[in-house]
Amino acid sequence: MRLRDVLEQPGVRLPVLAGEGELDRPAHLAYTTDLLDPARYLAGGEVVLTGMMWRREPADSELFVAALAGAGVAALGAGEALLGPVPADLVEACRRHRLPLFAVPAEVSFREVTERINTVLWAEREAGALAARSRRRGRVATLAAGADLSEVWPGTGAWVLTSTGRVIVGDPDGTPHDLAVGRRLATAFLRADTLPTRCRIGDREFHLDAPAPAATPGTRFIACADPALLEELVELAALDAARSERARRIERRLAAQLADVLTTAADPPELAAALHACGLPTTGPYTILVASLPTPPVSGSGSFGETARNGLAERAGSPKLHDADGAAVAVVEEMVPGAVVASVRGEVVAVVAGSGGVGGLREAARHLTAAARGTRFVAGLSEPATDVAALPGALAQARHAHRYALERQDRVSVIGSDELASHDLLLASVPRATRQAFADRLLAPLRAYDADHHADLVRTLQTFLACDGSWTRCASAMHLHVNTLRYRVRRIADLTGRDLDRFTDRVDLYLALRLDT
């Protein structure tokens, strides 16, 4: 409120004695005191009312007014009921400090002045609340009429971000557009036990909340500097999500159809039609991605890969990523802009036009898994498919890479096309039990012989193959005589039925050692 509005209220006139040009100062409450130095009790913006009991001599007026001016008060009201008219020294001190001074006549109580102030404050607050409600209804109506969320979003101090810290809507010059800040906000959001929550970054405090889980569970949230705005922003974001849900359901259905067509290895014309329906070009290149958010393994429950595959539908580590398949779809949509993403029989399959759309995948996934404690991100990428006919083969590549990635214990395991030539990747498509049986069939006799005779046949085999079959280098590495080495190699051949002079037998033994690690 302004001091002028209080002085112009109906009732007995409150004469202005000093600071006539300062009557438009903002004020927010009345405060009564008779202390000579009340500065420690003042926060600024008060209308101070005093009976002047602090005044013992003219010099006290300067001390009193200096303390008020230093505290940033809006005005001083001097009561004349006890000590008579306002003294000239007080008027002069207020003029020197440019502090508005008005007299409170004897027939006017401080309570009446306080009520005048409260009446003006209440009217202004009610008008402000009414204007805020009107603005809020206007924004909602504009959004419901088809406007984009960015068109109705407040200009400064508020943002919509994704779980990887990228700003979707908000002030382009704002702090969260620094990706490091955005990721710290996303970490605070993902780790929050309840919402709304708040976090401090440097000298700034941010308030965080999200709409009720809807189309994309846990992947978007609101950060703002003003907590009073938070409820309205959540309402706008929720309305935008609900309005977009129908379109998203259509997009997801088309994406699922594309994934089904890819899975059945349909003819190129059918694949081209499915690509076109999803808004993708019908000419290559394309990249296929297969991903999941598997749960960490349970101790003693089998191999890591088996546990991860069995846990695809279980709860992921963050409460914001509670639906593993649905969250994986949303996360891939966020980390790979422009991808067509669908969940198909426990796999999240994404088709990306071009070969460069997955460049930031690993970095974004590292942030997500660090922020959402207990969550893993696993993905396999195909090499670029040059045309529609090559898409089924690219899907097979991505699936092989995904299976291989599942076998790793890394929090982020993304296997790309540069690793597709690895024999490990080719073997990933073989069931683990089959692989272990192959390794045991060749290596179990060696391990048993080593145990019975205190020999070292398994290590000898590893070293011999690592030395590319060089007798001299292997003997030197193991500090053996060449004849001793030859005896051991013959014993390995007798026990395994494999001749290390033959390339194919060497490959068998090498793979057995690799599968046994």
Side-chain angles (χ1 to χ4, degrees), residues 444-457 487-488 491 495:
L446 303 184
R447 286 195 289 262
Y449 188 90
D450 286 345
D452 292 341
H453 299 84
H454 305 289
D456 207 2
L457 297 186
Y487 168 79
R488 289 188 180 183
R491 177 59 61 188
L495 292 171

Side-chain angles (χ1 to χ4, degrees), residues 375-409:
T375 299
R376 296 181 65 224
F377 181 82
V378 174
L381 299 171
S382 74
E383 60 185 359
T386 55
D387 54 31
V388 172
L391 278 172
L395 176 61
Q397 291 176 352
R399 281 178 166 165
H400 287 317
H402 179 250
R403 292 190 188 102
Y404 181 55
L406 278 169
E407 293 295 332
R408 294 187 174 182
Q409 299 194 26

Side-chain angles (χ1 to χ4, degrees), residues 67-112:
L68 298 186
V73 303
L76 172 63
E80 298 178 329
L82 294 177
L83 301 180
V86 179
D89 50 86
L90 180 57
V91 175
E92 183 58 32
C94 287
R95 284 177 178 161
R96 279 197 301 272
H97 290 279
R98 298 181 62 186
L99 179 66
L101 169 67
F102 62 91
V104 182
E107 62 270 28
V108 179
S109 68
F110 283 174
R111 177 179 178 179
E112 182 179 339

